[in-house]
Amino acid sequence: MGDESKYQQGDRRAHSPSAVLTPPSPLSGRDMERARETKSLVHQHMPEAIPMIRELANLGMIDGWRSVTFITKEENGNF
């Protein structure tokens, strides 16, 4: 049917917990402040998302809070 050859047994992807991950680049002062602000907003408005964010970071699927974006919805329904 499809192209099964691209899914070989034992094939390791970057998101695999056993894959070798390269450390993220250091954050600039501005990026660090944005990550802190995002973390604060998520803790305040969406604390139920914190375990998922932690798990994604532990699996290497995101680079911590630098990879999280918090968007608020305006009263008129626009983002």
Side-chain angles (χ1 to χ4, degrees), residues 7 21 29-30 39 43 53 57 63 70:
Y7 301 110
L21 302 174
R30 178 185 231 178
K39 183 177 180 179
H43 275 271
I53 292 167
D63 293 326
F70 185 84

Side-chain angles (χ1 to χ4, degrees), residues 36-68:
R36 282 189 191 118
E37 182 180 338
T38 300
K39 183 177 180 179
S40 175
L41 287 168
V42 171
H43 275 271
Q44 182 181 3
H45 297 284
M46 295 177 43
E48 67 279 2
I50 294 170
M52 179 185 64
I53 292 167
R54 185 175 296 124
E55 184 67 18
L56 290 171
N58 290 339
L59 291 171
M61 296 177 76
I62 63 171
D63 293 326
W65 288 101
R66 70 170 74 198
S67 300
V68 178

Side-chain angles (χ1 to χ4, degrees), residues 24-35:
S25 60
L27 290 174
S28 68
R30 178 185 231 178
D31 291 336
M32 181 68 79
E33 182 57 36
R34 189 194 70 73

